[in-house]
Amino acid sequence: MTHQGAALQSYNNELVKCIEDLCTKRDELHKQILNEEEEKQKIQNDLRILSERLAKVNESLAKKIAARNEYDKTIAETEAAYMKIIESSQTLLNVLQRESSVLKDKGVPAFSNLPI
């Protein structure tokens, strides 16, 4: 019977040791879970902050692109109007030169010869 008691004691010791090992592994895993949950919270917070920053940058970018488009439109309209002024000036110069030539041919003195 002592032999059976010794065997039972040995099994009991092994069982207690296995349970303690499992508890230790569980505790280590629990610590890892807590650390990863904390990291997850930090990442989610960072993601929220970055999402807010992205929204602000996108809004600012949209406003600046709209303003640049207005500049482009104004510049294009101004350049087109300026080209019309240049064309009109060229036409006016041509007409003035032609009229001056006609007047000269008729013997009318040039403007530079007129008294001031």
Side-chain angles (χ1 to χ4, degrees):
M1 201 56 165
T2 42
H3 186 298
Q4 291 173 338
L8 184 59
Q9 184 64 36
S10 174
Y11 296 150
N12 186 46
N13 289 343
E14 282 295 318
L15 182 60
V16 168
K17 185 177 183 296
C18 285
I19 291 172
E20 287 174 351
D21 287 345
L22 290 174
C23 287
T24 300
K25 289 179 181 180
R26 182 217 172 264
D27 290 345
E28 289 174 9
L29 186 59
H30 180 69
K31 287 178 185 178
Q32 291 173 1
I33 289 171
L34 292 177
N35 288 337
E36 287 188 14
E37 285 177 346
E38 184 179 334
E39 182 180 3
K40 176 184 171 186
Q41 288 297 327
K42 288 178 184 177
I43 291 171
Q44 286 177 331
N45 187 49
D46 291 346
L47 184 58
R48 180 188 55 79
I49 291 169
L50 288 173
S51 294
E52 290 172 3
R53 283 178 54 195
L54 178 61
K56 288 178 184 177
V57 168
N58 280 336
E59 182 181 339
S60 174
L61 188 58
K63 288 178 182 178
K64 288 177 180 174
I65 288 172
R68 183 190 62 196
N69 291 342
E70 285 297 317
Y71 275 111
D72 289 344
K73 179 182 173 188
T74 301
I75 290 168
E77 290 172 353
T78 303
E79 287 176 340
Y82 184 65
M83 290 306 295
K84 287 181 182 180
I85 290 171
I86 290 174
E87 291 170 3
S88 296
S89 296
Q90 182 64 44
T91 302
L92 179 60
L93 178 60
N94 291 340
V95 168
L96 183 58
Q97 287 173 340
R98 186 176 58 242
E99 290 298 317
S100 177
S101 177
V102 168
L103 290 174
K104 187 176 179 184
D105 290 345
K106 290 182 178 181
V108 177
F111 291 114
S112 61
N113 295 338
L114 295 176
I116 297 179

